[in-house]
Amino acid sequence: MEQKQLVAQAIVAATDGQLSLEDVVAKIEVPKSYDLGDYAFPAFALAKIYHKAPQQIAPELVEKISLDGFDKVEAVGPYVNFFLDKKAFSLEVLQEVIDQQANYGDQDLGHAGNVPIDMSSPNIAKPMSMGHLRSTVIGNSLAELLKKANYNPIKINHLGDWGTQFGKLIEAYKLWGSEEEVKKDPINTLLKYYVHFHQVDQEQPELDDEARAWFKKLEDGDEEAINLWTWFREESLKFFKGIYAKLGIDFDSYNGESFYNDKMDEIVEILQDKGLLQESRGAEIVDLEKYNLNPALIKKTDGTTLYITRDLAAALYRFRTYNFVQSLYVVGNEQTNHFNQLKAVLKEMGYDWSDEIHHIPFGLITSGGKKLSTRRGNVILLEEVLNDAVELAQKQIAEKNPDLPNKDEVAEEVGVGAVIFHDLKNDRLNNFDFNLEEVVRFEGETGPYVQYSHARAMSILRKAGDVSFDQLVGLNDEESWEVIRQLSNFPAMIKRAVEEYEPSVIAKYAIHLSKSFNKYYAHTKVLTDDEQKNTRLAMVASVATVLKESLRLLGVKAPDEM
Ligand code: ARG
């Protein structure tokens, strides 16, 4: 960014202030090819002012520009092309990374403001789906990114541990369940009951009434219902925590939907006081017509509450508890309407902070082009995916580096990292198809490729032994220039990823940096003894630092050897 300012200042000076600095900054372009320099200024904007053709203006500007900070400034047609002073620039960038290490790219966008992140939030008694994986890894990466930008993220797992599905589960358990079977394999057994319920209730609709009655009992505190619910919840949570441990992700709070049971009356009261509740066929609703939304159903005919009622209570609780500057919900885009309703009801309640609530939606994961759904039992089980990925990584390592010490640990980091990276490298909103072989490849745009590039940089540094980075010189060769420019871009990438809530910015950046580094390494003998050797090594060390930090921000480990 600073270099762009330098270019802009040069233009402003050469045009005697005819254009404002801001105006010039906005017009500066980055040419497609390096033959045309690092930055270009199109002289079109000056044609009206000077009453001349831009092709004529460009060379005249070049005459007036001082070379301070540039290797070369030249006119090509209507453009003024700037070539940065590679030596000065590379020295500055490398010094910065070497000095700041993992703190390179830190910035204060958040002024330590609290940002609760609603993430993962799987449903009790069902396995975690790939959709929940997306929420978990996107939420975790956003938390790391926000921290780097000096926000204070609070990771909240809003467990789906309440709702009508528990009525169904209890009914199913009462009909076909066995304690022994559940104890042996809780998640799969409970899922089996749940799936079976949905198959049978097609022909026996009275089962749905029974299920509703059980949920009503649960909300009313019936002992048998509560005991079963508690048991299902504990078993499920144990299982989820196993997966989180595998992913290396933790939470600041496990306050799920049930946590808000005693906090919903207040919501209903406020809605009533403000005259927002209306009766509609025995149920209580909030009309949202002026937002162009369907009415929000707050209470059902039988008095039981709904998903949105619990979310209203949660939103208010979070505002009171954290006094947040933003409140994020990392949830699939199929719930967009729900979050629009949530925000609209809060707005109607007079809470202006509802403007700071952001739904961070993401696309679907399909498998073989088909949508995944727990209800139909057609889920890719996350645990299986992770285990398979680790196994694939093991095979690759056995082929490529059979003597690697701590092979199993590395395979775990590579396999799990591959799944996380694959998820994050796609733009959040894109749907994508999941194909394990592709995810764990060591080549192409994968997590293992980035990890491998990092390990390669580390191995060069190991070979070099003890080197001092005290006396660096500038690098001006074409091969290192691409790497230097990428390194200098890192802080801007962090800013963009935070502002767009988009971890893919960092994943794509890490792939680019890896590619440039590997290309550099293929062309250049880093370890040759000459006066630039330590600077080249400083660049290799900088690449290792920035790749490792990029992976960390995504929630992926960077083994030193693989
Ligand atoms: N448990 C829900 C589901 O699996 C996601 C919950 C998202 N968070 C929220 N506050 N509504 O679909």
Side-chain angles (χ1 to χ4, degrees):
M1 282 292 115
E2 252 165 49
Q3 308 74 257
K4 208 175 180 180
Q5 291 288 333
L6 198 69
V7 172
Q9 271 158 13
I11 293 285
V12 170
T15 54
D16 308 311
Q18 292 282 1
L19 298 171
S20 76
L21 191 68
E22 260 181 3
D23 217 14
V24 176
V25 168
K27 290 207 166 68
I28 291 171
E29 299 172 11
V30 176
K32 286 263 174 313
S33 133
Y34 285 136
D35 316 340
L36 298 173
D38 301 302
Y39 294 99
F41 176 77
F44 301 101
L46 291 164
K48 268 205 193 123
I49 297 171
Y50 291 133
H51 304 292
K52 279 186 198 168
Q55 288 88 325
Q56 231 177 320
I57 300 171
E60 289 173 15
L61 283 180
V62 169
E63 290 297 306
K64 292 195 210 157
I65 289 169
S66 103
L67 271 180
D68 217 17
F70 305 110
D71 277 346
K72 193 165 69 173
V73 180
E74 66 182 15
V76 176
Y79 286 91
V80 180
N81 295 339
F82 291 83
F83 297 76
L84 287 172
D85 179 340
K86 293 190 175 58
K87 277 195 168 167
F89 186 69
S90 58
L91 188 58
E92 202 180 303
V93 172
L94 294 178
Q95 219 122 43
E96 211 174 319
V97 185
I98 296 293
D99 284 352
Q100 301 179 5
Q101 294 294 317
N103 291 324
Y104 178 60
D106 287 8
Q107 48 206 291
D108 185 13
L109 303 176
H111 315 300
N114 284 341
V115 182
I117 307 178
D118 187 306
M119 53 183 267
S120 195
S121 310
N123 300 314
I124 293 296
K126 287 197 225 163
M128 223 184 283
S129 68
M130 289 301 277
H132 294 118
L133 169 72
R134 293 216 76 188
S135 171
T136 310
V137 302
I138 293 171
N140 182 63
S141 176
L142 288 178
E144 295 300 340
L145 284 161
L146 287 167
K147 241 188 278 174
K148 198 160 173 77
N150 197 27
Y151 286 93
N152 178 36
I154 298 137
K155 294 182 275 183
I156 302 175
N157 196 330
H158 188 78
L159 289 172
D161 59 0
W162 207 252
T164 38
Q165 75 267 26
F166 287 92
K168 293 176 187 170
L169 191 62
I170 294 175
E171 172 66 9
Y173 177 78
K174 295 291 285 181
L175 286 173
W176 316 294
S178 108
E179 190 174 334
E180 226 174 295
E181 199 184 14
V182 174
K183 280 201 169 133
K184 231 191 276 158
D185 183 4
I187 293 284
N188 286 320
T189 307
L190 293 175
L191 174 67
K192 190 177 83 180
Y193 298 159
Y194 189 74
V195 171
H196 191 60
F197 182 95
H198 274 280
Q199 283 160 354
V200 177
D201 79 339
Q202 308 282 322
E203 281 113 53
Q204 290 171 260
E206 69 276 10
L207 283 187
D208 280 328
D209 295 332
E210 297 289 326
R212 258 193 293 279
W214 271 113
F215 181 54
K216 173 87 175 121
K217 276 192 194 175
L218 194 58
E219 285 219 305
D220 293 342
D222 172 87
E223 199 184 314
E224 186 183 11
I226 292 277
N227 285 343
L228 283 172
W229 172 80
T230 309
W231 178 40
F232 296 157
R233 185 182 191 277
E234 270 167 16
E235 293 294 347
S236 297
L237 204 51
K238 249 189 262 167
F239 175 84
F240 293 155
K241 285 188 175 168
I243 292 184
Y244 296 139
K246 211 166 172 117
L247 291 170
I249 290 176
D250 55 11
F251 294 87
D252 300 301
S253 159
Y254 279 95
N255 287 344
E257 295 187 38
S258 70
F259 178 76
Y260 301 98
N261 277 344
D262 61 356
K263 297 172 182 61
M264 283 183 288
D265 284 349
E266 186 191 354
I267 295 293
V268 176
E269 268 161 38
I270 299 172
L271 289 171
Q272 236 147 18
D273 286 352
K274 305 216 159 168
L276 295 168
L277 269 195
Q278 291 177 14
E279 216 188 280
S280 166
R281 281 176 269 143
E284 311 264 11
I285 63 158
V286 175
D287 185 89
L288 296 175
E289 214 184 305
K290 75 171 180 211
Y291 297 87
N292 237 330
L293 294 167
N294 290 329
L297 185 53
I298 303 293
K299 245 183 180 184
K300 285 198 201 170
T301 328
D302 62 4
T304 54
T305 58
L306 288 118
Y307 184 50
I308 194 165
T309 326
R310 294 185 281 281
D311 255 331
L312 286 165
L316 182 57
Y317 177 84
R318 286 174 198 172
F319 183 72
R320 286 174 177 161
T321 309
Y322 305 113
N323 190 20
F324 57 67
V325 294
Q326 292 177 37
S327 183
L328 309 184
Y329 293 76
V330 185
V331 185
N333 58 9
E334 70 282 359
Q335 292 195 28
T336 297
N337 188 54
H338 167 76
F339 286 101
N340 285 339
Q341 287 186 320
L342 178 66
K343 288 183 68 160
V345 176
L346 290 167
K347 192 94 190 168
E348 284 296 279
M349 291 166 87
Y351 299 134
D352 282 338
W353 46 260
S354 64
D355 293 339
E356 300 313 327
I357 288 185
H358 301 290
H359 174 212
I360 313 295
F362 52 81
L364 274 179
I365 303 187
T366 54
S367 171
K370 267 196 286 184
K371 195 181 150 180
L372 308 166
S373 142
T374 329
R375 231 186 259 175
R376 274 175 270 134
N378 164 31
V379 276
I380 303 181
L381 296 181
L382 182 51
E383 207 195 10
E384 247 167 63
V385 168
L386 291 176
N387 289 339
D388 291 352
V390 171
E391 216 172 280
L392 262 181
Q394 245 150 7
K395 268 190 213 146
Q396 302 226 38
I397 290 170
E399 263 170 43
K400 290 199 159 81
N401 195 355
D403 302 323
L404 181 71
N406 64 344
K407 247 190 275 183
D408 288 341
E409 195 185 319
V410 174
E412 186 86 22
E413 293 178 351
V414 171
V416 173
V419 175
I420 297 177
F421 191 92
H422 176 75
D423 193 307
L424 293 178
K425 92 171 185 207
N426 294 287
D427 291 3
R428 250 196 300 117
L429 277 166
N430 284 355
N431 297 342
F432 64 86
D433 209 68
F434 191 86
N435 172 332
L436 197 64
E437 304 279 328
E438 205 140 293
V439 171
V440 194
R441 271 193 320 144
F442 277 37
E443 304 87 28
E445 311 200 327
T446 65
Y449 172 69
V450 176
Q451 288 174 318
Y452 186 70
S453 307
H454 166 265
R456 190 173 203 184
M458 292 308 286
S459 114
I460 299 169
L461 294 170
R462 273 194 303 275
K463 251 186 235 148
D466 243 352
V467 277
S468 146
F469 296 144
D470 287 347
Q471 306 253 294
L472 300 181
V473 297
L475 295 174
N476 62 352
D477 57 302
E478 291 296 328
E479 280 76 34
S480 55
W481 189 230
E482 175 70 35
V483 179
I484 295 287
R485 289 202 50 150
Q486 297 273 359
L487 288 172
S488 79
N489 266 338
F490 186 58
M493 292 293 134
I494 301 284
K495 180 157 186 271
R496 207 168 104 203
V498 169
E499 284 172 352
E500 295 174 8
Y501 306 110
E502 190 59 273
S504 69
V505 169
I506 299 301
K508 286 175 184 149
Y509 169 81
I511 291 170
H512 281 154
L513 179 57
S514 298
K515 278 188 187 162
S516 331
F517 171 65
N518 287 321
K519 203 164 135 202
Y520 169 78
Y521 187 60
H523 281 112
T524 313
K525 290 203 173 70
V526 174
L527 291 170
T528 306
D529 272 315
D530 60 26
E531 75 282 3
Q532 290 190 336
K533 177 176 161 192
N534 283 5
T535 306
R536 284 194 300 270
L537 284 166
M539 188 172 85
V540 173
S542 299
V543 168
T545 298
V546 173
L547 284 181
K548 185 172 187 160
E549 181 63 0
S550 299
L551 289 171
R552 187 190 69 75
L553 290 166
L554 299 171
V556 177
K557 295 268 169 36
D560 285 346
E561 228 183 311
M562 66 186 264

